[in-house]
């Protein structure tokens, strides 16, 4: 009859019977009462010795019922839904589905209660009808549902449904926002299914994200990486500061902490490449509590592993960015034609909460967050989500192979594609993945010998792409890759032949899709962010574009091959010159070099690789600075705005410029590079790599 009783209760009954047989009634009652108290305390403690809060037991007849039991983690009122697993309590608006409260470790609400409930923890989307101004949709749900409920997990849904009768009054999209809470886990999962049905009207969607705004009087310490973490200024400090060249950048003139006076704060200073943007967040010192966004996979993000995006920033704000045009421009936004159907799952991401015993140990929270990231990556793809659109590992496939490089002017033998980034994305041309946004992408980094394994790939039709450090251009495998559930595709040795017409005569930079190796100057002393002082990412300082006029006040950059060194003498960004009164003029850089034409008869090639372009046009002239038209022009290119946003790179561009032998001369030569567009201080390019190749050799 005791088979269904908890173990502790059975022990208590047996022991009480023994006591009754051994003591008189008075003695037995006193001992039994004491033992019962000890047993109850033991049963109420968790695995770490902390006292557990008994879960609220409420029978909910208005929500789903599973196996004749009600999930004890959920309760509901007329305007709220509450999830509580004994460690974390979440409060959602009903039926909108915003996270309006997070209770944890004695803090009634980690979110900013000064904000309106709809402005604390929410999804949003920036969209527009083609040709019209964009608007923001907070994706408010109109229907709530319990998807599944067991003793160990609950998954809930808030849905927003589009009807063609609404026309352009709202974004033509069905949205299903999902949240998962599990017993014993300090945090929760968030993901969403976005869907367009066939026949719906055309639309552009440029940004999809989750936003959490925390209490600024508690969360003051931000961590993005091991070398990017610090105490941060407050939103009030920004409000009292001096706006700079664009609204996101503010000079702190009267901060609450005097140590911040004279610093620049700009949310773009804390951006990261998606391949590195996997855990970031905030720490409250008293009590020592951490709030972290953990992204265990990039498969649902857009535009490949090098796409940069926002992380955490002053607010305190923590973001999970899924789609954006940051560091790329509108061409990486999602454009849907009239009638086009589409579906995609964004997430899940894990919102991890942790705590430390005392405020002196608050930095251990960052270390714990990194450990939690490792655990989430190992569990990916999750097997507990209830949407049929999120596929578990056994529903996916894999691709493996080895990538080699053939560049006969560097080595007559094949070279390992060491540390190459290899990925699957929607079919397209070589390099098209960096502008692709509607589908899923799956990337990995090859080992030293160029071997790679891309696992847990969703079924579909893909192209296989790669980019190899040290070599220009983009690789694409000649055939499409069809992934089916359980497939394990092993490709024969793949060979990449990067663009090359002849031997290298000279080169400037490193072909790595970045301008980081060039001369990144120190910022103006009055426009510094102390986090980036003596930092490997000093390019994240504000206003570096204006240092060009300081360093070259009387003439533009002149680089002499064989004498100058690009880390010191090649400015990281080819920008306009500020002539005052908000007017700017084009700048022309010179590359001077010696040439022995007798040893190199024939046509030459200038390989011109750009790491970024914003409203720019690079014109190339050879030994005639006034040639009109120029010998080559890129035309107007780029809107990635990476110069203003401290990005060191945006989208990658490669131009192979043919130079006829008669344009070059024996001895001294000069190539003139003019950035001719000059409407603003941010118009310009960042070079990745330049190489002059001699005529082909047998």
């Amino acid at each position: 009859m005791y088979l269904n009783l908890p173990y502790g209760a059975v022990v208590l009954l047996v022991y009480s019977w023994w006591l009754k047989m051994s003591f008189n009634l008075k003695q037995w009652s006193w001992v039994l009462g004491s033992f019962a108290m000890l047993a109850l305390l033991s049963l109420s403690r968790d695995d770490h010795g902390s006292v557990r809060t008994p879960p609220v037991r409420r029978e909910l007849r208005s929500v789903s019922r599973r196996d004749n039991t009600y999930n004890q983690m959920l309760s509901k009122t007329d305007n709220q839904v509450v999830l509580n697993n004994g460690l974390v309590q979440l409060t959602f608006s009903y039926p909108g589905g915003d996270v309006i409260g997070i209770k944890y470790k004695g803090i009634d609400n980690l979110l900013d209660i000064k904000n309106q409930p709809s402005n604390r923890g929410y999804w949003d989307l920036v969209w527009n009808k083609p040709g019209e101004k964009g608007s923001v949709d907070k994706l408010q749900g109109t229907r709530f549902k319990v998807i599944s409920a067991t003793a160990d997990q609950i998954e809930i849904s808030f849905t927003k449904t589009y009807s063609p009768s609404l026309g352009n009054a709202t974004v033509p999209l069905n949205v299903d926002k999902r949240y998962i809470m599990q017993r014993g886990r300090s945090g929760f999962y968030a993901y969403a299914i976005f869907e367009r049905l066939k026949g719906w009207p055309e639309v552009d969607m440029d940004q999809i994200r989750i936003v959490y705004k925390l209490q600024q009087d508690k969360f003051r310490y931000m961590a993005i990486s091991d070398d990017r973490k610090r105490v941060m200024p407050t939103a009030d400090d920004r409000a009292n500061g001096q706006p700079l060249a664009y609204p996101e950048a503010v000079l702190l003139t009267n901060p609450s902490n005097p140590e911040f006076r004279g610093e620049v704060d700009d949310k773009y200073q804390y951006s990261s490449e998606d391949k590195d943007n996997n855990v970031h967040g905030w720490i409250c010192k008293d009590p020592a509590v951490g709030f972290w966004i953990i992204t265990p996979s990039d498969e649902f993000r857009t535009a490949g592993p090098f796409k940069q995006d926002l992380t955490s920033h002053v607010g305190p704000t923590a973001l999970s960015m899924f789609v954006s045009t940051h560091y790329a421009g509108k061409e990486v936004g999602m454009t849907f034609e009239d009638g086009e159907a589409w579906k995609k799952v964004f997430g899940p991401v894990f919102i991890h909460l942790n705590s430390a015993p005392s405020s002196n140990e608050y930095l251990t929270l960052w270390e714990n967050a990194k450990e939690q990231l490792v655990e989430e990556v190992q569990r990916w793809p999750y097997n507990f989500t209830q949407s049929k659109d999120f596929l578990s590992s056994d529903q996916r496939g894999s691709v493996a192979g080895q990538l080699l490089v053939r560049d006969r002017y560097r080595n007559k033998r094949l070279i390992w594609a060491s540390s190459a980034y290899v990925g699957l994305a929607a079919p397209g041309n070589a390099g098209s993945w960096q502008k692709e946004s509607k589908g899923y992408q799956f990337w990995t980094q090859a080992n030293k010998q160029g071997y790679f394994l891309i696992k847990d790939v969703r079924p579909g039709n893909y192209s296989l792409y790669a980019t190899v450090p040290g070599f220009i251009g983009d690789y694409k495998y000649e055939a499409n890759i069809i992934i089916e559930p359980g497939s394990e595709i092993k490709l024969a040795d793949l060979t990449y032949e990067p663009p090359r017409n002849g031997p290298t005569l000279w080169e400037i930079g490193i072909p790595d899709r970045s301008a980081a190796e060039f001369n990144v100057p120190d910022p103006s002393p009055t426009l510094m962010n102390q986090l980036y002082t003596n930092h490997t990412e000093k390019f994240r300082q504000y206003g570096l574009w204006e240092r060009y006029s300081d360093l070259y006040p009387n003439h533009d950059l002149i680089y002499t091959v064989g004498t100058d060194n690009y880390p010191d003498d090649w400015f990281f960004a080819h920008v306009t010159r500020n002539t005052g009164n908000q007017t700017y003029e084009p700048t022309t850089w010179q590359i001077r070099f010696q040439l022995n034409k007798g040893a190199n008869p024939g046509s030459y090639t200038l390989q011109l690789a750009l790491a970024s372009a914003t409203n720019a046009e690079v014109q190339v002239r050879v030994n005639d600075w006034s040639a009109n038209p120029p010998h080559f022009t890129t035309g107007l290119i780029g809107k990635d705005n990476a110069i203003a946003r401290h990005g060191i790179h945006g989208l990658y561009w490669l131009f192979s410029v043919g130079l006829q032998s008669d344009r070059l001369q024996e001895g001294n030569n000069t190539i003139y590079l003019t950035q001719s567009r000059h409407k603003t201080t941010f118009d310009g390019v960042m070079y990745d790599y330049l190489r002059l190749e001699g005529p082909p050799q047998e």
Side-chain angles (χ1 to χ4, degrees):
M1 62 178 173
Y2 300 132
L3 291 178
N4 293 325
L5 289 176
Y7 175 76
V10 174
V11 172
L12 179 59
L13 287 170
V14 173
Y15 190 62
S16 64
W17 175 83
W18 180 81
L19 286 171
K20 185 174 182 180
M21 298 297 294
S22 305
F23 296 88
N24 61 35
L25 181 61
K26 183 176 180 179
Q27 292 171 320
W28 178 81
S29 300
W30 179 82
V31 174
L32 178 59
S34 300
F35 185 78
M37 289 296 292
L38 290 172
L40 288 172
L41 283 173
S42 176
L43 289 171
S44 65
R45 292 183 181 274
D46 61 21
D47 294 337
H48 304 286
S50 301
V51 176
R52 288 198 299 251
T53 302
V56 177
R57 297 179 180 271
R58 180 181 298 178
E59 190 173 273
L60 300 176
R61 300 187 183 279
S62 61
V63 298
S64 298
R65 188 170 180 169
R66 300 289 184 270
D67 298 329
N68 298 318
T69 62
Y70 294 100
N71 188 280
Q72 297 174 358
M73 285 188 271
L74 184 144
S75 60
K76 178 180 171 296
T77 65
D78 290 341
N79 58 5
Q80 291 183 353
V81 174
V82 178
L83 298 184
N84 188 341
N85 66 358
L87 299 174
V88 180
Q89 178 176 296
L90 299 178
T91 303
F92 300 87
S93 62
Y94 170 83
D98 295 323
V99 181
I100 62 177
I102 303 176
K103 185 176 182 179
Y104 177 69
K105 289 295 179 181
I107 302 178
D108 285 339
N109 199 344
L110 306 186
L111 302 179
D112 189 356
I113 57 176
K114 295 179 182 178
N115 280 353
Q116 293 294 322
S118 62
N119 196 34
R120 298 176 188 172
Y122 57 89
W123 289 75
D124 69 11
L125 180 151
V126 176
W127 71 284
N128 64 277
K129 184 179 178 182
E132 296 184 359
K133 186 178 179 181
S135 60
V136 178
D137 191 323
K138 284 285 192 75
L139 303 179
Q140 291 293 296
T142 58
R143 182 170 178 261
F144 166 73
K145 182 181 180 181
V146 176
I147 300 299
S148 67
T150 69
D152 296 317
Q153 174 177 304
I154 186 166
E155 180 169 335
I156 61 175
S157 163
F158 300 91
T159 54
K160 176 184 188 297
T161 304
Y162 174 78
S163 171
S165 64
L166 297 173
N168 295 317
T170 184
V171 58
L173 192 69
N174 288 340
V175 179
D176 184 354
K177 300 183 295 185
R178 300 282 186 99
Y179 294 91
I180 298 172
M181 176 173 277
Q182 296 177 333
R183 183 79 61 189
R185 294 188 70 80
S186 183
F188 60 97
Y189 295 89
Y191 73 109
I193 304 99
F194 285 55
E195 182 178 24
R196 279 175 50 87
L197 300 182
K198 186 176 181 180
W200 286 2
E202 60 183 349
V203 67
D204 292 345
M205 295 189 290
D206 291 339
Q207 179 172 279
I208 299 172
R209 64 181 186 171
I210 305 176
V211 183
Y212 294 99
K213 298 182 178 179
L214 308 175
Q215 287 200 48
Q216 76 165 342
D217 59 338
K218 293 188 177 296
F219 290 90
R220 298 292 301 275
Y221 191 96
M222 185 181 77
I224 299 170
S225 64
D226 285 336
D227 60 354
R228 291 205 285 166
K229 55 184 191 291
R230 66 176 297 197
V231 175
M232 295 290 287
T234 68
D236 291 340
D237 294 338
R238 284 182 53 88
N240 296 327
Q242 174 188 335
L244 295 173
Y246 46 87
E248 293 86 355
V250 172
L251 180 65
L252 305 177
T253 55
N254 188 28
S256 53
N257 183 343
E259 293 183 6
F260 294 130
R261 182 173 290 111
E263 282 202 25
V264 171
D265 180 76
D266 178 354
K267 66 181 182 181
Y268 293 110
Q269 292 178 318
Y270 308 110
S271 298
S272 289
E273 291 184 345
D274 281 348
K275 66 182 176 62
D276 303 319
N277 183 1
N278 39 40
V279 56
H280 62 87
W282 290 86
I283 293 174
C284 167
K285 289 186 179 181
D286 187 19
V289 165
F291 180 100
W292 310 101
I293 295 182
I294 293 178
T295 308
S297 171
D298 289 334
E299 68 179 49
F300 41 77
R301 286 172 167 163
T302 61
F306 311 120
K307 169 74 164 63
Q308 295 188 85
D309 228 319
L310 299 171
T311 57
S312 287
H313 60 80
V314 165
T317 300
L319 302 172
S320 181
M321 303 295 300
F322 300 112
V323 176
S324 86
T325 58
H326 297 145
Y327 301 96
K330 195 172 174 64
E331 54 193 325
V332 301
M334 297 187 294
T335 297
F336 296 95
E337 298 178 355
D338 190 54
E340 182 179 354
W342 171 79
K343 181 185 281 190
K344 188 173 182 179
V345 179
F346 292 102
V349 296
F350 183 49
I351 312 305
H352 176 55
L353 309 177
N354 58 4
S355 64
S358 71
S359 59
N360 293 330
E361 300 176 74
Y362 73 94
L363 287 179
T364 64
L365 300 177
W366 167 243
E367 299 303 319
N368 172 261
K370 292 190 295 180
E371 293 171 359
Q372 188 65 43
L373 167 65
V374 173
E375 179 180 334
E376 299 301 324
V377 170
Q378 291 173 344
R379 299 174 76 199
W380 187 271
Y382 299 133
N383 61 5
F384 52 78
T385 55
Q386 297 301 302
S387 171
K388 62 179 176 56
D389 296 304
F390 183 82
L391 305 182
S392 58
S393 185
D394 60 355
Q395 297 173 291
R396 301 176 178 225
S398 65
V399 177
Q402 183 186 24
L403 182 63
L404 305 169
V405 178
R406 177 180 288 117
D407 185 343
R408 68 186 182 93
Y409 290 103
R410 283 185 54 173
N411 196 316
K412 292 183 179 180
R413 297 182 178 180
L414 291 175
I415 306 169
W416 292 330
S418 179
S419 301
Y421 282 89
V422 187
L424 296 171
N429 298 321
S432 61
W433 51 268
Q434 69 170 344
K435 298 179 182 179
E436 198 279 319
S437 57
K438 293 180 185 177
Y440 299 89
Q441 296 199 20
F442 302 86
W443 288 84
T444 191
Q445 190 169 18
N447 68 9
K448 183 178 180 180
Q449 290 79 33
Y451 286 102
F452 63 89
L453 169 62
I454 308 172
K455 59 181 182 178
D456 294 319
V457 181
R458 294 173 61 101
N461 187 20
Y462 300 91
S463 287
L464 186 137
Y465 304 97
T467 174
V468 186
F471 297 90
I472 61 174
D474 283 278
Y475 170 79
K476 179 195 171 185
Y477 183 58
E478 62 269 16
N480 284 354
I481 305 292
I482 299 175
I483 299 293
E484 297 178 349
S487 62
E488 296 181 356
I489 298 174
K490 293 180 174 58
L491 299 175
D493 291 345
L494 311 177
T495 302
Y496 173 45
E497 297 189 27
R500 165 80 75 170
N501 291 323
T504 299
L505 301 183
W506 52 255
E507 58 187 350
I508 301 172
I510 302 170
D512 59 359
R513 309 173 84 95
S514 166
E517 69 269 25
F518 297 127
N519 178 19
V520 179
D522 293 329
S524 168
T526 61
L527 297 172
M528 294 186 68
N529 182 323
Q530 296 299 332
L531 175 62
Y532 294 109
T533 301
N534 299 320
H535 196 281
T536 57
E537 295 188 1
K538 64 184 295 187
F539 56 81
R540 300 209 181 267
Q541 295 278 16
Y542 173 84
L544 299 183
W545 57 86
E546 293 191 341
R547 294 302 321 280
Y548 177 77
S549 296
D550 297 336
L551 296 175
Y552 300 92
N554 301 316
H555 62 81
D556 287 326
L557 182 148
I558 300 173
Y559 186 91
T560 302
V561 173
T563 300
D564 292 334
N565 298 305
Y566 61 78
D568 302 315
D569 302 308
W570 189 271
F571 196 72
F572 80 104
H574 192 165
V575 293
T576 56
R577 181 181 296 280
N578 188 345
T579 58
N581 257 353
Q582 294 187 334
T583 59
Y584 308 90
E585 64 182 14
T587 53
T588 298
W589 292 8
Q590 299 180 37
I591 304 173
R592 297 178 177 177
F593 60 98
Q594 294 282 320
L595 184 63
N596 181 354
K597 288 187 66 177
N600 299 282
S603 297
Y604 296 74
T605 303
L606 175 66
Q607 301 288 2
L608 185 64
L610 305 181
S612 166
T614 302
N615 299 320
E617 179 180 358
V618 178
Q619 299 175 347
V620 179
R621 295 175 173 88
V622 183
N623 291 325
D624 182 359
W625 68 269
S626 61
N628 190 19
H631 300 136
F632 171 83
T633 178
T634 63
L636 178 62
I637 56 172
K639 291 186 179 295
D640 62 41
N641 216 17
I643 294 172
R645 291 174 172 172
H646 332 292
I648 210 61
H649 75 83
L651 295 182
Y652 178 77
W653 305 78
L654 177 64
F655 301 93
S656 294
V657 182
L659 303 177
Q660 295 299 317
S661 178
D662 59 3
R663 296 195 185 279
L664 297 166
Q665 57 196 24
E666 188 75 18
N668 295 328
N669 289 267
T670 302
I671 291 178
Y672 299 92
L673 303 173
T674 300
Q675 200 300 97
S676 62
R677 306 286 174 148
H678 54 100
K679 287 185 177 180
T680 76
T681 188
F682 303 123
D683 295 343
V685 300
M686 287 188 276
Y687 296 98
D688 167 41
Y689 175 74
L690 302 94
R691 180 173 74 212
L692 182 65
E693 298 173 359
Q697 296 178 350
E698 295 299 329

